[in-house]
């Protein structure tokens, strides 16, 4: 029987890659989309099929992690074999501005979803597996390298909320013997990464500076070090975790860390530019409490189900720069067409 999956956070970076992966494996994919006054489905438009078409395997439902009634309804309608909870207010700096909403969607939202699943399993007797999107931010100030045994030391409302979600998930595994796995994923990026995360902010700027659309790039702490991988590789680990014999907690990382400064070297260098001429420091991008150094040890995931990263740092940066150089050229072309349209209408 083909499987069915429910993805909360399907419109995000990871949701889009995971949907592609599951559709390619023959799954029917249900996704939860938030109601928004503007379109928020840009990352999944290429796999979306109109509801009037027959044989669709991607189905979208309105819902929100802050609304348990809606989540319950989506679960009953979609009847999934696997649930992937990727939904979150996922920006660390924003979580200092909106801590309460971050806790509500990330921590309590996970609890709501787990409890909907509990009722669903108990009244249907079905087996449902649950993936929780945990984060290396949970390690925060803990000394690198970090693995599954490293104690959490969260440094932001986002990270504290992810720690709570991690423990809710673990508690549902132990209390009810459910198949619930926590992925502890280190930073993963792609051309679909949100534009306010540092990697994409940099590669977008490289493209726009090259195209003459931007003069400066304002950043915060350039000394922070991160273990950056490719999102396409990391969604495979999520899926593998739910196919494994036993549920558990697994670190997913590359085992290499680079500073923001090194990311700048690589990204601007690839475009033939010197970042020192364009980058300025703006203190508004500093965080009240920073996470200095994240470096993951993914050996448990490798041993348990054979996952390993495929995309090295350099290739990742180049992929993102190439994509954003192209995007900026399209942006410039469209701006030119609009300007020409305005001139000819006068
Ligand atoms: P992302 O691009 O920010 O996507 C987040 C998704 O969650 C979007 O679909 C968003 O919807 C949705 N969402 C936000 N608030 C919601 C709410 N209240 N109810 C339902 N959905 C909501 O994040 P990502 O990079 O794909 O990451 C996926 C998950 O992994 C997140 O939980 C993130 O915290 C976690 N994570 C990410 C990384 C990383 O490096 N990328 C590392 C570790 C963990 P809209 O499109 O409408 O905003
Ligand atoms: O920051 C520094 C910043 O926002 C990385 C999320 O996906 O990964 C992500 O969280 C570093 C930090 O990612 C700017 O201070 C400097 O040290 O790209 P980021 P993050 O905070 O690591 C984890 C694993 C998640 O789970 C999260 O959901 O870069 N930095 N200057 C800057 N960061 C930003 N955003 N903007 C700057 O201008």
């Amino acid at each position: 029987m083909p499987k069915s999956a429910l993805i909360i956070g399907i419109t995000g970076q990871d949701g889009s890659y995971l949907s592609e992966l599951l559709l390619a494996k023959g799954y029917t994919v249900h996704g939860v989309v938030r109601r928004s006054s503007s379109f928020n489905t840009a990352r999944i438009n290429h796999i979306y099929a109109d509801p009037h078409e027959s044989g669709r395997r991607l189905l979208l439902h309105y819902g929100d992690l802050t609304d348990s009634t809606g989540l319950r309804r989506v679960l009953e309608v979609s009847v999934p074999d696997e649930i992937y909870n990727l939904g979150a207010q996922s920006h660390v700096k924003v979580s200092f501005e909106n801590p309460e909403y971050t806790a509500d969607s990330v921590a309590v939202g996970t609890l709501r979803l787990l409890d909907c699943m509990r009722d669903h399993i108990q009244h249907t007797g079905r087996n449902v597996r649950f993936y929780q999107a945990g984060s290396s931010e949970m390690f925060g100030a803990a000394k690198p390298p970090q693995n599954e045994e490293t104690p959490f030391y969260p440094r932001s409302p986002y990270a504290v909320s992810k720690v709570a979600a991690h423990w809710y998930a673990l508690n549902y595994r132990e209390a009810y013997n459910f198949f619930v796995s926590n992925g502890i994923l280190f930073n993963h990026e792609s051309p679909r990464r949100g534009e306010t995360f540092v990697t994409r902010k940099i590669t977008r700027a490289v493209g726009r500076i090259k195209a003459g659309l931007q003069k400066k790039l304002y950043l915060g702490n350039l000394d922070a070090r991160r273990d950056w991988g490719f999102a396409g590789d990391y969604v495979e680990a999520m899926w593998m975790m739910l196919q494994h014999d036993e549920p558990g907690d697994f670190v997913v990382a590359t085992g290499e860390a680079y500073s923001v400064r090194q990311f700048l070297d690589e990204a601007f260098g690839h475009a033939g530019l010197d970042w020192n001429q364009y980058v300025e420091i703006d203190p508004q991008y500093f965080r009240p409490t920073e996470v200095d150094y994240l470096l993951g040890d993914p050996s448990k995931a490798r041993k348990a189900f054979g996952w390993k990263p495929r995309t090295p740092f350099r290739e990742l940066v180049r992929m993102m720069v190439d994509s954003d150089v192209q995007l900026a050229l399209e942006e410039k072309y469209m701006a030119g067409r609009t300007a020409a349209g305005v001139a000819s209408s006068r």
Side-chain angles (χ1 to χ4, degrees):
M1 275 285 282
K3 283 191 189 169
S4 128
L6 173 61
I7 305 177
I8 294 84
I10 194 166
T11 55
Q13 170 188 252
D14 292 5
S16 68
Y17 284 108
L18 181 64
S19 303
E20 285 172 3
L21 180 80
L22 297 179
L23 288 171
K25 290 184 182 298
Y27 281 62
T28 296
V29 175
H30 294 264
V32 170
V33 177
R34 296 195 294 171
R35 147 72 190 150
S36 160
S37 66
S38 50
F39 288 117
N40 57 358
T41 52
R43 293 187 180 100
I44 52 168
N45 282 345
H46 62 292
I47 47 174
Y48 178 75
D50 189 271
H52 303 95
E53 286 178 27
S54 60
R56 281 181 313 143
R57 286 194 293 115
L58 176 66
L59 296 97
L60 302 179
H61 311 265
Y62 282 114
D64 197 296
L65 282 163
T66 59
D67 172 16
S68 44
T69 318
L71 290 176
R72 197 166 288 268
R73 194 173 300 126
V74 172
L75 197 54
E76 295 307 324
V77 169
S78 57
V79 200
D81 300 300
E82 295 168 9
I83 299 174
Y84 294 86
N85 180 26
L86 312 183
Q89 186 304 93
S90 72
H91 201 284
V92 172
K93 179 72 186 343
V94 172
S95 79
F96 288 99
E97 324 294 331
N98 300 145
E100 189 180 328
Y101 172 70
T102 302
D104 194 13
S105 55
V106 176
V108 186
T110 303
L111 177 64
R112 289 185 185 103
L113 192 57
L114 285 162
D115 219 44
C116 290
M117 181 178 78
R118 172 163 77 117
D119 288 349
H120 179 80
I121 290 176
Q122 288 178 347
H123 84 77
T124 61
R126 300 179 64 248
N127 286 319
V128 184
R129 295 185 171 201
F130 190 102
Y131 172 83
Q132 169 55 22
S135 165
S136 53
E137 282 292 306
M138 301 189 299
F139 295 126
K143 210 169 140 267
Q146 295 97 1
N147 66 20
E148 294 80 2
E149 305 305 319
T150 307
F152 296 141
Y153 188 160
R155 297 268 286 172
S156 65
Y158 166 79
V160 172
S161 305
K162 281 288 183 189
V163 171
H166 174 96
W167 283 107
Y168 283 137
L170 207 150
N171 179 243
Y172 272 63
R173 179 163 81 217
E174 292 180 349
Y176 307 111
N177 202 23
F178 290 163
F179 194 112
V180 176
S181 283
N182 285 301
I184 307 178
L185 272 56
F186 282 62
N187 298 54
H188 45 281
E189 320 293 314
S190 74
R192 298 183 200 167
R193 183 59 143 151
E195 296 185 19
T196 59
F197 297 99
V198 77
T199 55
R200 187 77 200 288
K201 186 170 165 182
I202 292 171
T203 60
R204 267 298 264 151
V206 170
R208 298 187 88 246
I209 289 168
K210 268 280 246 207
L213 295 169
Q214 183 173 332
K215 288 194 167 61
K216 290 283 173 201
L217 168 62
Y218 295 95
L219 293 173
N221 176 16
L222 306 187
D223 296 317
R225 280 180 282 182
R226 290 290 183 274
D227 180 330
W228 280 298
F230 171 51
D233 296 344
Y234 284 39
V235 298
E236 286 178 10
M238 297 176 187
W239 176 77
M240 289 167 106
M241 242 174 256
L242 293 200
Q243 314 315 306
H244 190 49
D245 307 337
E246 296 290 331
D249 306 329
F250 300 95
V251 161
V252 176
T254 69
E256 285 181 16
Y258 297 87
S259 65
V260 174
R261 209 178 286 279
Q262 285 171 303
F263 195 99
L264 283 166
D265 283 338
E266 195 59 47
F268 277 77
H270 181 51
L273 299 170
D274 174 5
W275 63 265
N276 291 290
Q277 293 177 8
Y278 305 101
V279 172
E280 294 198 2
I281 302 303
D282 181 341
Q284 72 159 304
Y285 297 113
F286 291 136
R287 289 151 190 207
T289 37
E290 175 62 293
V291 169
D292 296 316
Y293 191 178
L294 293 174
L295 170 67
D297 167 10
S299 33
K300 182 179 172 191
R302 185 172 191 156
K303 220 169 165 182
F305 46 82
W307 181 84
K308 55 176 194 286
R310 281 198 287 240
T311 314
F313 175 73
R314 208 163 194 226
E315 198 181 308
L316 170 68
V317 180
R318 290 174 176 216
M319 178 203 312
M320 292 176 70
V321 169
D322 290 344
S323 167
D324 278 333
V325 164
Q326 184 58 34
L327 187 63
L329 290 176
E330 287 163 20
E331 199 181 328
K332 190 175 183 178
Y333 174 73
M334 290 309 288
R337 275 174 64 99
T338 308
V342 170
S344 66
S345 69
R346 284 207 175 121

